[in-house]
Amino acid sequence: MPVAAALVAVIGAGLTVLARKRIAFLAGVLSALVLLPLCRPALPDAMAWTLSAGAYLVGTLLGGYLLWVALRPIGPRLPRSSALATLAWLAMAGVAVTVGVAAWPLAVAALDASRGTGARLADLLEPGRWSLGAGLALLVVGLGPLLTAAQPARLAAGAAFCSAAAWLIVTGLGAAAADVTLVAIGLVLPAAAAAVAVHSLRPTTDG
């Protein structure tokens, strides 16, 4: 399950980069973010985690709806970027996943030598590998084609991607992130999307 959730996040990030229609963009953003709580080596049985994951899911879905509201004024299609730039960012995201999966044992050993042997012997389907790879891919997409874009909706998605990437990287490397961090990350997309939606619904100078 954690590996599948990480792969869905990577696919969602790629779809977000490729999207030219509003519905495809939203599908990419939600796919990249919605399964984030499952991207961890072991899923705890604690009620606190369940409530935090539920709050994160509600926040992410609300953020998706607010992005939809924000994108309505521009029509069904998003402003285009060059095909070369799109392919370059997709390639960089793919490299980020590969580096994360391949270099995970080295990163773990560098942070904690006592875990080095176990990390080097870990299976390719070790969840931490894919959480790290997915986190690096979301970071590349968030900092690249989203936060460098001129469209407010892409900026909102970029902020959410970067916060989710930080959680994935920390979790993938074995740190036990507090349950409340999921709630905080789940507030990034709706807060940013709400600001964009309010701005998009303001009357223009020509009425």
Side-chain angles (χ1 to χ4, degrees):
M1 180 68 75
V3 174
L7 286 173
V8 170
V10 172
I11 293 170
L15 179 58
T16 303
V17 175
L18 287 171
R20 291 294 173 264
K21 291 188 176 181
R22 179 176 59 189
I23 188 66
F25 177 75
L26 289 172
V29 172
L30 291 179
S31 297
L33 296 176
V34 74
L35 296 182
L36 180 73
L38 301 181
C39 297
R40 54 187 301 163
L43 301 181
D45 296 327
M47 181 59 68
W49 178 85
T50 302
L51 293 176
S52 297
Y56 172 85
L57 178 61
V58 171
T60 300
L61 295 178
L62 175 60
Y65 171 74
L66 292 171
L67 271 185
W68 177 263
V69 172
L71 289 169
R72 280 190 304 179
I74 69 172
R77 288 191 172 272
L78 300 174
R80 295 184 65 87
S81 57
S82 70
L84 181 61
T86 298
L87 291 176
W89 285 118
L90 281 177
M92 290 177 64
V95 169
V97 175
T98 304
V99 169
V101 172
W104 176 80
L106 298 176
V108 169
L111 292 172
D112 186 355
S114 65
R115 297 173 57 207
T117 302
R120 285 190 293 271
L121 296 176
D123 189 83
L124 184 61
L125 295 180
E126 164 65 36
R129 289 181 182 268
W130 293 92
S131 292
L132 179 60
L136 292 177
L138 260 65
L139 188 64
V140 166
V141 173
L143 292 176
L146 296 182
L147 285 181
T148 60
Q151 299 84 39
R154 290 188 186 274
L155 295 175
F161 273 29
C162 288
S163 61
W167 190 90
L168 283 168
I169 292 170
V170 168
T171 303
L173 292 175
D179 294 328
V180 71
T181 58
L182 267 180
V183 180
I185 293 170
L187 293 175
V188 174
L189 182 62
V196 176
V198 169
H199 181 269
S200 69
L201 295 176
R202 287 179 179 175
T204 59
T205 54
D206 59 359

